Amino acid sequence: MLDHEIESLGEFDDVVEATGSLSGWRVQSVDLRERAAALSSAETDGAVFLGCAMAPESVAAVQERGGLVFPPVPKLPFNPYRSRLYAPEELYADLAEGYDRTPDARSYGWFQRTKNDGDVFSSMLRAVHDDAVSDALDEQLVGARVVGVMGGHKLARGSGAYAGAARLGRTLARAGHTVATGGGPGAMEAANLGAYAAPFDDGMLEKALEMLATAPSFEESVGEWARAAFAVRSGWPDGGPSVGIPTWFYGHEPPNAFAQHIAKYFVNAVREDGLLARSNAGVVFLPGAAGTVQEIFDNATPNYYQSRGAPTPMVLVDEEHWTRTLPCWPLLQALASERPMAARIALAASVEEVPQTLERLREAELPGA
């Protein structure tokens, strides 16, 4: 499929110079106030301009020649037409003035005010935003071998389990995988931290863990928790990339600063399904509670029906947790019985077993294949 999206001023100039036509193109969140001459001369029949700042005369000229213009929406704390994923620095801008002043907190506040008001305009803005984020996420992950890492948001910095999840993220990233998490705190942050630490020597992660342990939980102060993460990033800039896919639906879960690319959604169902669907190299389930249990069976269902193709690997970590505390493993085994997905599920005793287990499951021959 041809890419007919223009997402930067440079791309806009290249298309106009090469063809003199914007017909059929979708111009997404580009400031075109200095391109009045180009907009008045280029063909625009069938072109769509999404959230592009334009001079009033340019809007009129484009519309007269068959183009559609969806103007920027004023006084929003987010851009519904955004063309790229969020960066941690963007969501945490103005953190020095308090977390409540950041775009992340203000977007959550807007969501809280509008989610139940029945206003179709607010609903449309959320839907447009989330679709734009999904489009940017697909562009980011082209050709990537994505391993999803799921786990509880309450896992505290400074704990052995947190350090283990971080080492897992580092191992996966060093093996060439793109680590994708729910983008929040706890086990999710730890896996993203590990991916961030992958380019550095092993001592870097140990020092980072010590620094983060001074602010063990976001629940006491999101600001202090986030500032500790940015202190690590400042000490070791340009860490390894990974993806975080959080949601404003869970306002108590701030995004972590170690996912270089953040796809944050308003609709949690879209976020959950999208995260699991894009984990094409398998999903690792660390100990967690209701959210992680939901993710296990959200992932098991398409593997059971093979609605996304061949089943992908699922590794549950910690026998005690998944067989006794929350006995998901016996149910997963029962579902998988006599189906192809049985060859793609495993229970690992520890995070150290995960990389080899994932490889074994990927290479397993499926019954009937």
Side-chain angles (χ1 to χ4, degrees):
M1 181 181 295
L2 294 176
D3 181 5
H4 282 88
E5 296 175 2
I6 294 174
E7 299 176 344
S8 69
L9 202 55
E11 291 176 346
F12 177 89
D13 291 339
D14 290 343
V15 170
V16 172
E17 182 178 354
T19 67
S21 175
L22 294 165
S23 295
W25 287 90
R26 278 71 177 114
V27 189
Q28 192 172 350
S29 196
V30 179
D31 188 340
L32 299 174
R33 286 174 293 185
E34 301 299 323
R35 295 297 186 271
L39 290 169
S40 66
S41 61
E43 296 179 15
T44 57
D45 183 48
V48 180
F49 297 81
L50 300 167
C52 297
M54 300 164 64
E57 58 270 22
S58 297
V59 174
V62 166
Q63 292 175 328
E64 286 174 3
R65 299 197 312 282
L68 287 176
V69 178
F70 293 81
V73 181
K75 299 182 180 179
L76 278 181
F78 62 93
N79 175 10
Y81 306 109
R82 64 180 303 111
S83 61
R84 290 174 173 78
L85 297 180
Y86 292 98
E89 296 84 353
E90 179 182 0
L91 288 173
Y92 281 106
D94 300 320
L95 179 62
E97 300 177 25
Y99 172 67
D100 61 338
R101 300 295 298 274
T102 66
D104 185 64
R106 291 189 292 113
S107 295
Y108 175 64
W110 177 89
F111 177 55
Q112 286 294 95
R113 292 191 301 274
T114 63
K115 66 179 181 179
N116 295 319
D117 64 8
D119 181 3
V120 68
F121 183 58
S122 297
S123 299
M124 183 199 74
L125 292 174
R126 291 193 293 269
V128 170
H129 170 274
D130 285 3
D131 189 69
V133 167
S134 290
D135 182 62
L137 183 58
D138 286 337
E139 292 174 355
Q140 179 64 42
L141 294 178
V142 169
R145 292 186 299 154
V146 182
V147 173
V149 180
M150 313 297 153
H153 71 274
K154 286 185 173 292
L155 186 63
R157 294 168 171 174
S159 67
Y162 183 97
R167 287 192 290 270
L168 172 62
R170 184 177 63 185
T171 299
L172 292 171
R174 286 177 173 176
H177 295 100
T178 295
V179 173
T181 78
M188 297 172 279
E189 180 188 54
N192 288 127
L193 165 65
Y196 187 89
F200 303 105
D201 62 56
D202 290 356
M204 174 270 174
L205 180 56
E206 301 310 312
K207 293 174 183 176
L209 291 169
E210 291 177 8
M211 293 172 64
L212 294 172
T214 62
S217 172
F218 67 94
E219 293 179 315
E220 295 182 7
S221 169
V222 174
E224 291 301 315
W225 176 83
R227 278 188 280 272
F230 280 107
V232 171
R233 288 174 54 99
S234 177
W236 293 273
D238 303 319
S242 65
V243 174
I245 307 180
T247 175
W248 280 295
F249 182 81
Y250 294 129
H252 62 283
E253 289 188 16
N256 76 72
F258 295 110
Q260 299 277 58
H261 309 290
I262 299 177
K264 191 153 191 179
Y265 288 87
F266 288 107
V267 180
N268 186 52
V270 176
R271 167 252 192 168
E272 291 277 12
D273 185 70
L275 170 55
L276 295 168
R278 291 174 175 86
S279 297
N280 54 21
V283 184
V284 180
F285 299 93
L286 302 175
T292 311
V293 170
Q294 176 185 345
E295 289 161 346
I296 288 172
F297 293 104
D298 279 349
N299 196 46
T301 300
N303 279 347
Y304 180 91
Y305 290 111
Q306 298 189 71
S307 55
R308 295 180 185 142
T312 52
M314 298 177 64
V315 181
L316 278 61
V317 181
D318 191 324
E319 182 177 356
E320 175 70 24
H321 187 83
W322 294 123
T323 63
R324 297 177 182 85
T325 306
L326 294 173
C328 294
W329 175 246
L331 179 52
L332 185 61
Q333 279 187 304
L335 278 172
S337 179
E338 299 182 2
R339 302 188 73 88
M341 70 177 285
R344 294 282 164 84
I345 65 171
L347 179 64
S350 66
V351 291
E352 286 74 22
E353 296 180 10
V354 168
Q356 294 79 11
T357 304
L358 278 173
E359 189 65 26
R360 173 173 59 81
L361 295 180
R362 281 195 290 267
E363 294 177 353
E365 183 175 348
L366 297 179

